[in-house]
Amino acid sequence: MSKYKIAWMPGDGVGIEVMDATKLVLDAMKFDASYHPADIGWEYWVNEGNPLPDRTIEVLKNTDCGLFGAITSKPREEAQAELIPELKDKGLVYFSPIVKLRQMFNLHTNLRPCKAYPGNPLNYREDIDLVVFRENTEGSYGGVEWYPLPEKVYDALCDNPKMIKWKDKGLENVALSTRIMSEQGCESICRQSFEYAKKHGRKSVTLVEKPNVLRETGGLMTRVFRNVAKDYSGIEAWEANIDAICMWLIKNPQDYDVLVAENMFGDIVSDLCAGLVGGLGFASAANIGDNYAVFEPTHGSAPKYHGKNVVNPMAMLLTAKLMLDWLGEAEDAARLEKGISTVIAEGKVGTYDVKGRGKGESTMEVAEEVARKVTSAEACAT
Ligand code: IPM
Ligand code: MG
């Protein structure tokens, strides 16, 4: 029997290609795992009215963790229009399966490292090494929202005199999305960011918030952050507003180290950080819970590139590295990262995003080159 059971969720579009590329490298490393295919994504929405079928949940429950490629999602009307005729008019509503998975398995922590690997021509600077801790189940992602605003929700909020102007606009014209945060959620993400900083010898943790406007949720997060920071005297605790940090990260990204944020701000700032180190082709992510984790690259399914075998597999390979770390396979994780960084540093083999449009090697050729590096005598010795 294999040491690990991995739920295998390629999803849609280029998700399939980057997962194939990753399998090639994991196999080359002789990573001891069995892979359990699990259906997720657009095809299952179109044909079954559910992008995350129950059988997929069962596969996840019977595995150690999941590896996920990418999914396609479309606006409400388009999603409806693509359903097979038997499923139309059944009141089915499309939802993001990855957001649902995060909620369902309580994958409360989203870890997104953004490191400039030397030699990557897309690096903004070579001395960037950021790690974003994004709270992954609360905030604006809880799905508590309305349009139009029901009378009873309006009534419940009516103690607040500021609500009157919304009634005047006509409740049928008003939409409401909530940002709900708990002390426990804030505490968990802040503590994990400091623990990570301590373990990896990082010098600072920066809270990304907006407590001057979002006074209650932002205020709660800030208080919790300050309290947690007291337990880590060797680590500097900085605070920045989301807007300001977007500017500071462009100006002086090398000054920052670990960032911690609630869900939506973490979503925003992690794309910015990815942009500093080569874009989505290099951005990996881990959705981590207490007993389960799902690893996914930050990029989407890029339908226009599907089947062309051209997209950069590095994000997915770096994602596999996060999985190896989480499984406790530190040596394999380091070997894979070394393989990836060597291929980047040599610059001989790379996809079009790195080498320029119309140039570059295929997804599989890049994976093959990484596989060669991870199996070379030198890599095995490290
Ligand atoms: C991400 C993505 C998702 C998110 C989308 C696809 C729902 O942007 O993982 O960062 O907003 O969390
Ligand atoms: Mg995002």
Side-chain angles (χ1 to χ4, degrees):
M1 217 175 75
S2 312
K3 189 164 175 195
Y4 299 112
K5 286 168 129 186
I6 315 286
W8 194 254
M9 295 175 277
D12 300 313
V14 303
I16 300 163
E17 292 153 58
V18 294
M19 289 279 279
D20 285 347
T22 302
K23 179 83 174 17
L24 183 133
V25 176
L26 289 172
D27 286 349
M29 297 179 75
K30 303 217 166 14
F31 175 56
D32 188 7
S34 57
Y35 300 96
H36 303 261
D39 299 336
I40 191 164
W42 197 247
E43 191 187 327
Y44 306 98
W45 162 252
V46 171
N47 295 305
E48 300 177 27
N50 184 359
L52 181 63
D54 291 346
R55 59 185 180 278
T56 297
I57 308 300
E58 285 312 305
V59 174
L60 267 63
K61 283 185 181 156
N62 290 307
T63 47
D64 296 299
C65 64
L67 207 53
F68 173 91
I71 37 135
T72 299
S73 53
K74 300 186 186 178
R76 197 197 311 220
E77 284 74 26
E78 272 176 65
Q80 282 302 323
E82 289 198 27
L83 280 173
I84 54 169
E86 303 86 288
L87 294 174
K88 285 204 172 101
D89 309 319
K90 286 225 155 120
L92 297 166
V93 181
Y94 182 79
F95 60 86
S96 162
I98 187 67
V99 172
K100 179 98 173 253
L101 274 185
R102 291 171 185 165
Q103 300 282 346
M104 201 175 239
F105 286 82
N106 191 21
L107 307 175
H108 43 68
T109 301
N110 197 324
L111 171 68
R112 296 185 157 178
C114 295
K115 178 169 169 179
Y117 288 100
N120 182 351
L122 303 175
N123 282 342
Y124 188 71
R125 293 175 56 120
E126 295 257 306
D127 52 359
I128 301 171
D129 188 2
L130 299 157
V131 178
V132 178
F133 276 82
R134 165 187 176 187
E135 200 292 323
N136 217 22
T137 53
E138 300 193 347
S140 324
Y141 281 72
V144 181
E145 40 184 3
W146 297 271
Y147 173 74
L149 190 61
E151 190 86 34
K152 63 175 201 254
V153 174
Y154 175 83
D155 289 344
L157 296 169
C158 250
D159 283 351
N160 189 331
K162 290 177 195 149
M163 282 304 292
I164 290 161
K165 83 169 189 199
W166 300 107
K167 179 116 187 191
D168 290 347
K169 297 205 192 257
L171 295 186
E172 69 284 7
N173 298 317
V174 177
L176 171 65
S177 301
T178 60
R179 175 170 115 140
I180 310 180
M181 286 155 61
S182 71
E183 179 156 352
Q184 292 89 333
C186 296
E187 157 88 25
S188 161
I189 199 70
C190 289
R191 192 160 292 284
Q192 288 185 76
S193 65
F194 276 99
E195 278 297 317
Y196 180 96
K198 187 170 151 190
K199 185 167 168 207
H200 294 91
R202 301 285 191 143
K203 72 174 193 313
S204 70
V205 177
T206 303
L207 172 65
V208 177
E209 249 307 324
K210 188 82 185 177
N212 53 338
V213 175
L214 298 167
R215 291 181 179 277
E216 301 308 335
T217 44
L220 174 66
M221 181 68 143
T222 304
R223 277 195 306 281
V224 169
F225 175 79
R226 288 178 187 171
N227 258 331
V228 172
K230 286 184 199 149
D231 296 339
Y232 301 85
S233 55
I235 299 161
E236 287 179 44
W238 299 343
E239 294 170 20
N241 284 342
I242 174 70
D243 51 342
I245 195 99
C246 289
M247 184 270 293
W248 286 115
L249 281 168
I250 299 291
K251 265 183 97 105
N252 300 317
Q254 72 285 358
D255 286 355
Y256 294 90
D257 211 329
V258 177
L259 305 175
V260 60
E262 64 84 44
N263 215 337
M264 181 71 85
F265 290 162
D267 180 43
I268 294 168
V269 86
S270 61
D271 269 23
L272 194 156
C273 293
L276 298 171
V277 297
L280 295 178
F282 293 89
S284 57
N287 301 281
I288 300 172
D290 292 338
N291 307 306
Y292 200 76
V294 173
F295 301 87
E296 54 158 341
T298 308
H299 63 68
S301 65
K304 73 173 178 181
Y305 293 121
H306 177 45
K308 300 205 162 91
N309 194 25
V310 295
V311 298
N312 197 338
M314 290 305 194
M316 189 77 230
L317 292 171
L318 288 164
T319 297
K321 182 250 175 209
L322 293 178
M323 178 184 79
L324 295 172
D325 272 331
W326 184 80
L327 288 169
E329 299 293 340
E331 263 176 42
D332 272 353
R335 184 152 67 100
L336 177 53
E337 187 177 29
K338 182 85 197 314
I340 293 167
S341 63
T342 307
V343 172
I344 295 172
E346 289 179 357
K348 286 197 292 244
V349 179
T351 41
Y352 77 91
D353 52 330
V354 179
K355 290 200 165 175
R357 278 196 192 274
K359 298 188 205 129
E361 281 70 37
S362 70
T363 307
M364 269 301 173
E365 282 167 332
V366 173
E368 281 159 10
E369 183 70 1
V370 174
R372 269 191 288 279
K373 300 295 180 205
V374 294
T375 50
S376 73
E378 192 199 337
C380 293
T382 54

